Amino acid sequence: YIAVYTGGTYHYTPGSDVTAGDVVVQGELVAIAKVDITSGALGALAVQGVFDVPKATGVGEGIAAGANVYWDEAEGEAGTDAEAGANKLMGKAVQAAGDDDATVRVRLSQ
C-alpha cells in the first residue's frame, strides 16, 4: 500500500470560505483548517495535533484534563456533552479549562 497523506493533514475543497483555525465537520470527522481556504480552492485540514478551540463560559462549563471533548457545530464551541450524537468527538482535553476560560486545549483524535 502507498500512503496518500502523511503528517496528519488531508486535502479539502470547501463549498464556502474557511478561515485558518475554523473547525470543519464532515460526518464523524472533525478537523481544523490550517490556512484560510477560499470556496472551491484546494486547502488542508489537520486531523492530528493540539489546538485551542472555543468553549462556552459560565458555571458548569469547565473541562477537566483528559476529558472527551465534542464539537457543537450549531453553537461553534467545544464541550463535554455528545448530545446523543449531535456533537462530534474531536479529541481529549490536554489541559484543564475553567468555567470562565473561553478556550480549551484539545488533542485531535479520530
Side-chain angles (χ1 to χ4, degrees):
Y1 297 95
I2 298 173
V4 176
Y5 297 106
T6 61
T9 63
Y10 69 96
H11 290 135
Y12 173 71
T13 305
S16 59
D17 291 351
V18 174
T19 301
D22 281 355
V23 176
V24 177
V25 177
Q26 295 178 292
E28 297 296 319
L29 180 65
V30 179
I32 296 182
K34 295 179 65 125
V35 298
D36 292 345
I37 311 170
T38 304
S39 176
L42 184 63
L45 298 179
V47 290
Q48 292 179 351
V50 177
F51 296 86
D52 288 339
V53 296
K55 67 172 250 335
T57 58
V59 175
E61 297 296 343
I63 299 176
N68 282 340
V69 177
Y70 298 85
W71 184 252
D72 183 334
E73 194 168 15
E75 298 295 326
E77 60 193 21
T80 57
D81 188 353
E83 292 186 12
N87 297 341
K88 304 306 177 191
L89 179 64
M90 70 184 317
K92 294 196 182 303
V94 297
Q95 175 177 314
D99 286 347
D100 294 328
D101 290 332
T103 63
V104 59
R105 189 158 290 168
V106 178
R107 178 184 57 85
L108 296 181
S109 58
Q110 305 296 309

